[in-house]
Amino acid sequence: FDEFRELFLAVESLPNLDTVFRAAAGGADHLLPEDLQRYLVSSSRNRLQFSVRECARLILKHEGAEDSEIARQLNMDDHSDDHFVEGPLLSYEGFLRLMTNPEINSIMDQTKYYNVYQDMRQPLSHYYVSSSHNTYLTGNQLSSESSASAVERALKLGVRVIELDAWDGGSVEEGPIVNHGRTMCRPCTLKSCLEVIKDRAFQVTEYPVVITIENHCSIPFQKEQVRLLEEAFGTKLYMWPGTDGDDGKKNWAVGPPEWASPEDLKGMVVIRDKPQKKSDRKKSKAALEAAAKAKLIETANDPDTHLADALAADGSTLNPDHDLVQSPSSASSTGSDDDESEDFDYAR
C-alpha cells in the first residue's frame, strides 16, 4: 500500500509542489495554521489576508473534517489563536487539495480554464502564445525520430506555435523533409506534418496556429513547400494582402502597421519563415545550377506561378547572372561571414 500511495501522489502532484510544501513547512512533514498563514500572505504578495483562525479552518476542511467537527474545533466563541499553536496539521495531501481548490486558487477555476474570458481583439504580438521547439521530435535533440505524431501530440496539448525544420528531400517530387539537421535524428516528410496540422489544428481551440518554418531548403524545394501549404490549408492559409504603394502596385518592403488579432485569425494557419543562412544560400545556388536554368528563370518570372508570388512577397528577385534569390535581407548584408549574425527570426 505504501508503494501505491507514493506512486499515486507522484502522479497526482503538480510539478514542484512538493518543493513548495517543504519550503513552507521549514522541512517538516506538515504545516501549522501559522505556517499556512505565512505562506498564503507571502506567495500572494499580501493580496491574500487570512487570520490564523481562518487558516485552521482551511486545514480542517482540506484534511476532510466534517462541518460539525470544524465548528467544534474552532470554538467560535473563543477568539484567541493560542490553541492553534500546535494544530490542526496540514499534510502534503491536504496541501494538494487546498492548492487545487478554485475557491483558494483561481487558476484552478474550471470556468476560466476552459473558457476564454480575456480580450482577444488586440494585435497578436500583445499575447503570450503557447509555443514549442523542434515540435516534430519524439525524443531527444540528437538521436530521436522526427514524426508527425509529435506534432499531433503538441496540438492536442493546446500548443499554437509549431516549429518545423525543413530540408531538401531526395527529390522535388518526394518533397521536403523535416529533421533536426546535422544530427543523428531520423526525418519525416513535411507533407505528413502538414496533414496532421490540417486535421488537428483546431480541435482544442479555434485560435490560430502559427507554423514556424526554419527553412534550409533550396529554391525548387521552397516552391514545393508553397504548393504543399496551399494544398493542405487552402482558404485557411492566412495571406497578408500587402501594402498599396503610391504607384498603385503592392509595396512588399513595407510591413503591416500591426498584427491581426487572435479573434481575426480564428481558424487560420499563419506561416512564419526565416531567411536563409549563407551556407543555405550557397546550397540554393548549387541546386539552381543543377536545374534547367532557362526554364527555372522563365518559371520564376511567370506571374501565374506560386514561386513568383513567393519571391514578390519577400521583395526578392531571381538574378540570371548569379542563379541566386536576391532578397532585401541578403542585399543589405554587412559582408560578415558569420552565419549566426544572419540567423534571425523573420515573420512574414
Side-chain angles (χ1 to χ4, degrees), residues 5 17-39 55 59-60 63 84-98:
R5 179 176 175 276
L17 205 53
D18 178 67
T19 303
V20 172
F21 175 78
R22 298 300 174 193
D29 58 1
H30 60 265
L31 287 175
L32 290 164
E34 187 177 350
D35 298 327
L36 181 59
Q37 180 195 42
R38 188 183 308 108
Y39 168 74
C55 289
I59 291 175
L60 290 168
E63 287 295 331
F84 298 127
V85 173
E86 297 182 356
L89 304 179
L90 182 66
S91 65
Y92 178 60
E93 293 88 336
F95 185 70
L96 283 178
R97 288 189 286 269
L98 185 146

Side-chain angles (χ1 to χ4, degrees), residues 240 243 255-259:
W240 180 56
T243 300
E258 65 179 15
W259 290 86

Side-chain angles (χ1 to χ4, degrees), residues 33-259:
E34 187 177 350
D35 298 327
L36 181 59
Q37 180 195 42
R38 188 183 308 108
Y39 168 74
L40 292 175
V41 171
S42 63
S43 63
S44 68
R45 297 183 180 180
N46 295 316
R47 286 193 294 265
L48 291 178
Q49 296 292 334
F50 285 93
S51 67
V52 172
R53 177 180 293 275
E54 289 171 325
C55 289
R57 181 183 60 80
L58 288 175
I59 291 175
L60 290 168
K61 177 180 178 180
H62 292 91
E63 287 295 331
E66 298 289 342
D67 290 343
S68 57
E69 176 65 14
I70 294 174
R72 187 188 68 77
Q73 288 207 36
L74 290 181
N75 188 10
M76 303 307 291
D77 294 333
D78 181 3
H79 298 286
S80 171
D81 293 338
D82 292 344
H83 62 283
F84 298 127
V85 173
E86 297 182 356
L89 304 179
L90 182 66
S91 65
Y92 178 60
E93 293 88 336
F95 185 70
L96 283 178
R97 288 189 286 269
L98 185 146
M99 293 303 294
T100 54
N101 182 349
E103 295 178 3
I104 303 299
N105 192 354
S106 61
I107 200 172
M108 306 306 297
D109 187 340
Q110 300 287 316
T111 60
K112 292 183 177 180
Y113 188 80
Y114 291 107
N115 298 293
V116 177
Y117 61 93
Q118 299 93 341
D119 176 13
M120 303 303 288
R121 297 188 179 276
Q122 300 297 316
L124 186 62
S125 55
H126 289 196
Y127 299 85
Y128 289 106
V129 183
S130 177
S131 305
S132 56
H133 173 65
N134 290 348
T135 320
Y136 51 87
L137 288 179
T138 57
N140 66 67
Q141 302 281 314
L142 296 177
S143 61
S144 64
E145 183 176 356
S146 305
S147 173
S149 63
V151 176
E152 180 179 13
R153 179 178 181 274
L155 290 168
K156 287 181 176 179
L157 291 172
V159 172
R160 296 288 87 190
V161 177
I162 302 296
E163 184 187 32
L164 302 176
D165 292 11
W167 300 79
D168 287 2
S171 67
V172 175
E173 291 72 22
E174 295 174 357
I177 59 173
V178 171
N179 198 20
H180 195 203
R182 304 180 182 90
T183 67
M184 295 182 288
C185 295
R186 297 173 293 283
C188 65
T189 63
L190 174 66
K191 183 177 181 179
S192 66
C193 294
L194 298 182
E195 287 176 347
V196 162
I197 296 173
K198 173 187 175 182
D199 294 337
R200 306 292 186 185
F202 305 108
Q203 286 191 342
V204 174
T205 174
E206 291 185 78
Y207 288 106
V209 167
V210 179
I211 304 177
T212 297
I213 301 178
E214 186 177 303
N215 221 325
H216 301 275
C217 287
S218 60
I219 296 303
F221 280 88
Q222 289 188 42
K223 179 181 176 182
E224 179 63 9
Q225 283 182 38
V226 174
R227 190 190 71 78
L228 291 173
L229 287 166
E230 291 187 334
E231 179 181 83
F233 305 119
T235 57
K236 292 184 177 181
L237 186 63
Y238 175 70
M239 306 288 285
W240 180 56
T243 300
D244 293 327
D246 296 334
D247 56 359
K249 298 180 180 180
K250 295 294 184 183
N251 183 358
W252 296 106
V254 179
E258 65 179 15
W259 290 86

